[in-house]
Amino acid sequence: MYNYLDFEKPVADLEGKILELKKLAENGEAVDVADEIARLEKRSRDALRDAYKALTPWQKVQVARHPDRPHCLDYIKGLFKDFTPLAGDRAFGEDQAIVGGFARFNGESVAVIGQEKGSDTASRLKHNFGSVRPEGYRKAVRIMELADRFRIPLITLVDTAGAFPGVEAEERGQAEAIARSTSAGLSIKVPSISVVIGEGGSGGAIAIATANRVYMLEHAIYSVISPEGAASILWRDTTRSKDAATSMKITAQDLLELKIIDAIIPEPLGGAHRGPEAVIAATGDLLSKTMKDFAVSNVDFREQRREKYLAMGRNL
């Protein structure tokens, strides 16, 4: 059984009935129900297709935040070999909201940085729900600089509601750490790829997303502030989060049209949480293609990145 979202209630009802019939059949408490199960499964697939046919921006926010979506560590496990994590910022301490290190992708050395939200209560607390503290961004800068020094391509996996807003983070220089991480991403000479796999929230996301190529999963979001935060500022009413989500153009489809991102990675019907292996494989395919393009490209990657970001908004 899945954790169902509000708009998935018709699917939840049908799949609940299917589960009941299967349990009855297993316990020998029902006559042959195979035909009824098949009929309900078809209705369930149709209901799921209808629900995801035209998701609103607010519904996409809900899908992007789904607790069962594959997270950074799932992608690292599924796509990379010989991953060697690095810890600490060499200044204050370790922040496990940022996972980073070096690995092999299709036999090639790469640097990997990602935000990990956690998949259960213990891991969510361990990784602080993906909300990064200053030392996390300084660890990211350390990895970027190492990648640049040894001419190793960089891949980042973005999934955070935003940087950690606590007083201790501000005391340790949160804004400065985010700015330096953003600057490092823009300054390195090696090629970089960023994938928004869930939430891309505010400066907490862009700190590791200033890449030559930026991709988003089909139902991911990427925004300067959360819909709730925008509604609170604009209307002083968080119940208007749906309006904010629509107005801010935070979906992958909106951002591709605005040329903020470079491509969209399709998700299985029902979202990435219904087919994690498939969406991880699709992400790997696009990463592989991009890495091959980089390998034969005779360009200045830092200058290309500079032009990419300076061009944003010119024709709006």
Side-chain angles (χ1 to χ4, degrees), residues 25-46:
E26 288 173 2
N27 295 332
E29 299 176 12
V31 295
D32 186 12
V33 292
D35 290 343
E36 179 63 12
I37 289 174
R39 186 181 69 82
L40 288 174
E41 286 178 339
K42 182 181 183 305
R43 284 182 59 192
S44 175
R45 286 193 299 272
D46 291 343

PDB file of all heavy atoms in Angstrom, residues 25-46:
ATOM      1  N   ALA A  25      -8.976 -14.144  -0.618  1.00  0.00           N
ATOM      2  CA  ALA A  25      -8.622 -15.275  -1.468  1.00  0.00           C
ATOM      3  C   ALA A  25      -7.485 -16.086  -0.851  1.00  0.00           C
ATOM      4  O   ALA A  25      -7.497 -17.322  -0.890  1.00  0.00           O
ATOM      5  CB  ALA A  25      -8.225 -14.768  -2.853  1.00  0.00           C
ATOM      6  N   GLU A  26      -6.508 -15.402  -0.257  1.00  0.00           N
ATOM      7  CA  GLU A  26      -5.378 -16.089   0.377  1.00  0.00           C
ATOM      8  C   GLU A  26      -5.827 -16.920   1.573  1.00  0.00           C
ATOM      9  O   GLU A  26      -5.283 -17.991   1.839  1.00  0.00           O
ATOM     10  CB  GLU A  26      -4.329 -15.073   0.822  1.00  0.00           C
ATOM     11  CG  GLU A  26      -3.547 -14.440  -0.329  1.00  0.00           C
ATOM     12  CD  GLU A  26      -2.637 -13.322   0.150  1.00  0.00           C
ATOM     13  OE1 GLU A  26      -2.596 -13.077   1.382  1.00  0.00           O
ATOM     14  OE2 GLU A  26      -1.972 -12.695  -0.691  1.00  0.00           O
ATOM     15  N   ASN A  27      -6.838 -16.420   2.293  1.00  0.00           N
ATOM     16  CA  ASN A  27      -7.331 -17.124   3.489  1.00  0.00           C
ATOM     17  C   ASN A  27      -8.399 -18.153   3.158  1.00  0.00           C
ATOM     18  O   ASN A  27      -8.932 -18.808   4.059  1.00  0.00           O
ATOM     19  CB  ASN A  27      -7.898 -16.112   4.490  1.00  0.00           C
ATOM     20  CG  ASN A  27      -6.831 -15.179   5.020  1.00  0.00           C
ATOM     21  OD1 ASN A  27      -5.656 -15.536   5.087  1.00  0.00           O
ATOM     22  ND2 ASN A  27      -7.233 -13.967   5.402  1.00  0.00           N
ATOM     23  N   GLY A  28      -8.706 -18.285   1.874  1.00  0.00           N
ATOM     24  CA  GLY A  28      -9.714 -19.255   1.460  1.00  0.00           C
ATOM     25  C   GLY A  28     -11.121 -18.884   1.878  1.00  0.00           C
ATOM     26  O   GLY A  28     -11.987 -19.763   2.005  1.00  0.00           O
ATOM     27  N   GLU A  29     -11.381 -17.593   2.093  1.00  0.00           N
ATOM     28  CA  GLU A  29     -12.688 -17.153   2.567  1.00  0.00           C
ATOM     29  C   GLU A  29     -13.570 -16.626   1.439  1.00  0.00           C
ATOM     30  O   GLU A  29     -14.616 -16.028   1.686  1.00  0.00           O
ATOM     31  CB  GLU A  29     -12.506 -16.051   3.613  1.00  0.00           C
ATOM     32  CG  GLU A  29     -11.726 -16.511   4.834  1.00  0.00           C
ATOM     33  CD  GLU A  29     -11.475 -15.376   5.813  1.00  0.00           C
ATOM     34  OE1 GLU A  29     -12.094 -14.313   5.644  1.00  0.00           O
ATOM     35  OE2 GLU A  29     -10.663 -15.551   6.732  1.00  0.00           O
ATOM     36  N   ALA A  30     -13.139 -16.807   0.183  1.00  0.00           N
ATOM     37  CA  ALA A  30     -13.936 -16.298  -0.926  1.00  0.00           C
ATOM     38  C   ALA A  30     -13.823 -17.242  -2.110  1.00  0.00           C
ATOM     39  O   ALA A  30     -12.859 -18.001  -2.238  1.00  0.00           O
ATOM     40  CB  ALA A  30     -13.449 -14.895  -1.337  1.00  0.00           C
ATOM     41  N   VAL A  31     -14.844 -17.228  -2.951  1.00  0.00           N
ATOM     42  CA  VAL A  31     -14.792 -17.988  -4.197  1.00  0.00           C
ATOM     43  C   VAL A  31     -13.795 -17.302  -5.111  1.00  0.00           C
ATOM     44  O   VAL A  31     -13.180 -16.290  -4.755  1.00  0.00           O
ATOM     45  CB  VAL A  31     -16.194 -18.048  -4.849  1.00  0.00           C
ATOM     46  CG1 VAL A  31     -17.148 -18.835  -3.971  1.00  0.00           C
ATOM     47  CG2 VAL A  31     -16.721 -16.653  -5.100  1.00  0.00           C
ATOM     48  N   ASP A  32     -13.620 -17.825  -6.315  1.00  0.00           N
ATOM     49  CA  ASP A  32     -12.651 -17.268  -7.263  1.00  0.00           C
ATOM     50  C   ASP A  32     -12.983 -15.800  -7.541  1.00  0.00           C
ATOM     51  O   ASP A  32     -14.065 -15.469  -8.035  1.00  0.00           O
ATOM     52  CB  ASP A  32     -12.702 -18.078  -8.562  1.00  0.00           C
ATOM     53  CG  ASP A  32     -11.610 -17.628  -9.533  1.00  0.00           C
ATOM     54  OD1 ASP A  32     -10.723 -16.881  -9.090  1.00  0.00           O
ATOM     55  OD2 ASP A  32     -11.666 -18.012 -10.700  1.00  0.00           O
ATOM     56  N   VAL A  33     -12.047 -14.920  -7.183  1.00  0.00           N
ATOM     57  CA  VAL A  33     -12.275 -13.480  -7.347  1.00  0.00           C
ATOM     58  C   VAL A  33     -11.292 -12.881  -8.345  1.00  0.00           C
ATOM     59  O   VAL A  33     -11.122 -11.664  -8.396  1.00  0.00           O
ATOM     60  CB  VAL A  33     -12.147 -12.750  -5.993  1.00  0.00           C
ATOM     61  CG1 VAL A  33     -13.290 -13.123  -5.057  1.00  0.00           C
ATOM     62  CG2 VAL A  33     -10.792 -13.043  -5.346  1.00  0.00           C
ATOM     63  N   ALA A  34     -10.638 -13.721  -9.126  1.00  0.00           N
ATOM     64  CA  ALA A  34      -9.622 -13.238 -10.068  1.00  0.00           C
ATOM     65  C   ALA A  34     -10.205 -12.235 -11.056  1.00  0.00           C
ATOM     66  O   ALA A  34      -9.588 -11.204 -11.344  1.00  0.00           O
ATOM     67  CB  ALA A  34      -8.991 -14.416 -10.806  1.00  0.00           C
ATOM     68  N   ASP A  35     -11.401 -12.533 -11.566  1.00  0.00           N
ATOM     69  CA  ASP A  35     -12.011 -11.633 -12.553  1.00  0.00           C
ATOM     70  C   ASP A  35     -12.343 -10.278 -11.931  1.00  0.00           C
ATOM     71  O   ASP A  35     -12.134  -9.227 -12.553  1.00  0.00           O
ATOM     72  CB  ASP A  35     -13.290 -12.260 -13.139  1.00  0.00           C
ATOM     73  CG  ASP A  35     -12.988 -13.451 -14.035  1.00  0.00           C
ATOM     74  OD1 ASP A  35     -11.818 -13.578 -14.459  1.00  0.00           O
ATOM     75  OD2 ASP A  35     -13.910 -14.239 -14.303  1.00  0.00           O
ATOM     76  N   GLU A  36     -12.845 -10.308 -10.709  1.00  0.00           N
ATOM     77  CA  GLU A  36     -13.198  -9.052 -10.031  1.00  0.00           C
ATOM     78  C   GLU A  36     -11.938  -8.235  -9.716  1.00  0.00           C
ATOM     79  O   GLU A  36     -11.926  -7.006  -9.871  1.00  0.00           O
ATOM     80  CB  GLU A  36     -13.952  -9.354  -8.737  1.00  0.00           C
ATOM     81  CG  GLU A  36     -14.358  -8.129  -7.930  1.00  0.00           C
ATOM     82  CD  GLU A  36     -15.331  -7.212  -8.638  1.00  0.00           C
ATOM     83  OE1 GLU A  36     -15.885  -7.615  -9.680  1.00  0.00           O
ATOM     84  OE2 GLU A  36     -15.550  -6.079  -8.151  1.00  0.00           O
ATOM     85  N   ILE A  37     -10.873  -8.927  -9.313  1.00  0.00           N
ATOM     86  CA  ILE A  37      -9.610  -8.228  -9.046  1.00  0.00           C
ATOM     87  C   ILE A  37      -9.077  -7.588 -10.322  1.00  0.00           C
ATOM     88  O   ILE A  37      -8.631  -6.432 -10.313  1.00  0.00           O
ATOM     89  CB  ILE A  37      -8.580  -9.197  -8.437  1.00  0.00           C
ATOM     90  CG1 ILE A  37      -8.987  -9.566  -7.004  1.00  0.00           C
ATOM     91  CG2 ILE A  37      -7.186  -8.576  -8.439  1.00  0.00           C
ATOM     92  CD1 ILE A  37      -8.118 -10.628  -6.368  1.00  0.00           C
ATOM     93  N   ALA A  38      -9.115  -8.315 -11.422  1.00  0.00           N
ATOM     94  CA  ALA A  38      -8.638  -7.778 -12.700  1.00  0.00           C
ATOM     95  C   ALA A  38      -9.447  -6.551 -13.113  1.00  0.00           C
ATOM     96  O   ALA A  38      -8.896  -5.562 -13.614  1.00  0.00           O
ATOM     97  CB  ALA A  38      -8.714  -8.848 -13.776  1.00  0.00           C
ATOM     98  N   ARG A  39     -10.768  -6.621 -12.889  1.00  0.00           N
ATOM     99  CA  ARG A  39     -11.633  -5.485 -13.252  1.00  0.00           C
ATOM    100  C   ARG A  39     -11.295  -4.264 -12.397  1.00  0.00           C
ATOM    101  O   ARG A  39     -11.184  -3.138 -12.908  1.00  0.00           O
ATOM    102  CB  ARG A  39     -13.103  -5.872 -13.058  1.00  0.00           C
ATOM    103  CG  ARG A  39     -14.094  -4.820 -13.534  1.00  0.00           C
ATOM    104  CD  ARG A  39     -15.520  -5.275 -13.270  1.00  0.00           C
ATOM    105  NE  ARG A  39     -15.811  -5.309 -11.853  1.00  0.00           N
ATOM    106  CZ  ARG A  39     -16.164  -4.241 -11.137  1.00  0.00           C
ATOM    107  NH1 ARG A  39     -16.254  -3.051 -11.717  1.00  0.00           N
ATOM    108  NH2 ARG A  39     -16.420  -4.358  -9.855  1.00  0.00           N
ATOM    109  N   LEU A  40     -11.098  -4.479 -11.094  1.00  0.00           N
ATOM    110  CA  LEU A  40     -10.773  -3.371 -10.207  1.00  0.00           C
ATOM    111  C   LEU A  40      -9.375  -2.800 -10.501  1.00  0.00           C
ATOM    112  O   LEU A  40      -9.162  -1.593 -10.395  1.00  0.00           O
ATOM    113  CB  LEU A  40     -10.844  -3.836  -8.752  1.00  0.00           C
ATOM    114  CG  LEU A  40     -12.248  -4.105  -8.189  1.00  0.00           C
ATOM    115  CD1 LEU A  40     -12.156  -4.703  -6.794  1.00  0.00           C
ATOM    116  CD2 LEU A  40     -13.072  -2.835  -8.163  1.00  0.00           C
ATOM    117  N   GLU A  41      -8.445  -3.673 -10.871  1.00  0.00           N
ATOM    118  CA  GLU A  41      -7.102  -3.192 -11.204  1.00  0.00           C
ATOM    119  C   GLU A  41      -7.124  -2.306 -12.436  1.00  0.00           C
ATOM    120  O   GLU A  41      -6.398  -1.304 -12.512  1.00  0.00           O
ATOM    121  CB  GLU A  41      -6.160  -4.382 -11.412  1.00  0.00           C
ATOM    122  CG  GLU A  41      -5.755  -5.068 -10.112  1.00  0.00           C
ATOM    123  CD  GLU A  41      -4.870  -6.274 -10.321  1.00  0.00           C
ATOM    124  OE1 GLU A  41      -4.885  -6.823 -11.462  1.00  0.00           O
ATOM    125  OE2 GLU A  41      -4.176  -6.681  -9.371  1.00  0.00           O
ATOM    126  N   LYS A  42      -7.952  -2.662 -13.416  1.00  0.00           N
ATOM    127  CA  LYS A  42      -8.081  -1.814 -14.611  1.00  0.00           C
ATOM    128  C   LYS A  42      -8.693  -0.467 -14.231  1.00  0.00           C
ATOM    129  O   LYS A  42      -8.232   0.592 -14.678  1.00  0.00           O
ATOM    130  CB  LYS A  42      -8.933  -2.495 -15.672  1.00  0.00           C
ATOM    131  CG  LYS A  42      -9.074  -1.676 -16.956  1.00  0.00           C
ATOM    132  CD  LYS A  42      -9.943  -2.359 -17.979  1.00  0.00           C
ATOM    133  CE  LYS A  42      -9.978  -1.535 -19.265  1.00  0.00           C
ATOM    134  NZ  LYS A  42     -10.405  -0.155 -19.070  1.00  0.00           N
ATOM    135  N   ARG A  43      -9.717  -0.497 -13.389  1.00  0.00           N
ATOM    136  CA  ARG A  43     -10.340   0.756 -12.950  1.00  0.00           C
ATOM    137  C   ARG A  43      -9.344   1.607 -12.167  1.00  0.00           C
ATOM    138  O   ARG A  43      -9.320   2.836 -12.298  1.00  0.00           O
ATOM    139  CB  ARG A  43     -11.563   0.450 -12.077  1.00  0.00           C
ATOM    140  CG  ARG A  43     -12.800  -0.010 -12.852  1.00  0.00           C
ATOM    141  CD  ARG A  43     -13.965  -0.254 -11.924  1.00  0.00           C
ATOM    142  NE  ARG A  43     -14.304   0.956 -11.176  1.00  0.00           N
ATOM    143  CZ  ARG A  43     -15.146   0.961 -10.125  1.00  0.00           C
ATOM    144  NH1 ARG A  43     -15.695  -0.176  -9.707  1.00  0.00           N
ATOM    145  NH2 ARG A  43     -15.397   2.087  -9.492  1.00  0.00           N
ATOM    146  N   SER A  44      -8.526   0.932 -11.367  1.00  0.00           N
ATOM    147  CA  SER A  44      -7.518   1.658 -10.590  1.00  0.00           C
ATOM    148  C   SER A  44      -6.500   2.330 -11.505  1.00  0.00           C
ATOM    149  O   SER A  44      -6.143   3.492 -11.300  1.00  0.00           O
ATOM    150  CB  SER A  44      -6.819   0.693  -9.626  1.00  0.00           C
ATOM    151  OG  SER A  44      -5.777   1.334  -8.947  1.00  0.00           O
ATOM    152  N   ARG A  45      -6.009   1.610 -12.514  1.00  0.00           N
ATOM    153  CA  ARG A  45      -5.052   2.197 -13.461  1.00  0.00           C
ATOM    154  C   ARG A  45      -5.667   3.376 -14.202  1.00  0.00           C
ATOM    155  O   ARG A  45      -5.026   4.418 -14.397  1.00  0.00           O
ATOM    156  CB  ARG A  45      -4.579   1.142 -14.465  1.00  0.00           C
ATOM    157  CG  ARG A  45      -3.611   0.126 -13.899  1.00  0.00           C
ATOM    158  CD  ARG A  45      -2.944  -0.671 -15.005  1.00  0.00           C
ATOM    159  NE  ARG A  45      -3.912  -1.421 -15.801  1.00  0.00           N
ATOM    160  CZ  ARG A  45      -4.341  -2.638 -15.518  1.00  0.00           C
ATOM    161  NH1 ARG A  45      -3.892  -3.272 -14.441  1.00  0.00           N
ATOM    162  NH2 ARG A  45      -5.209  -3.253 -16.302  1.00  0.00           N
ATOM    163  N   ASP A  46      -6.919   3.224 -14.596  1.00  0.00           N
ATOM    164  CA  ASP A  46      -7.602   4.320 -15.300  1.00  0.00           C
ATOM    165  C   ASP A  46      -7.772   5.532 -14.392  1.00  0.00           C
ATOM    166  O   ASP A  46      -7.583   6.673 -14.822  1.00  0.00           O
ATOM    167  CB  ASP A  46      -8.973   3.849 -15.810  1.00  0.00           C
ATOM    168  CG  ASP A  46      -8.867   2.829 -16.930  1.00  0.00           C
ATOM    169  OD1 ASP A  46      -7.776   2.722 -17.526  1.00  0.00           O
ATOM    170  OD2 ASP A  46      -9.871   2.126 -17.198  1.00  0.00           O
TER     171      ASP A  46
END
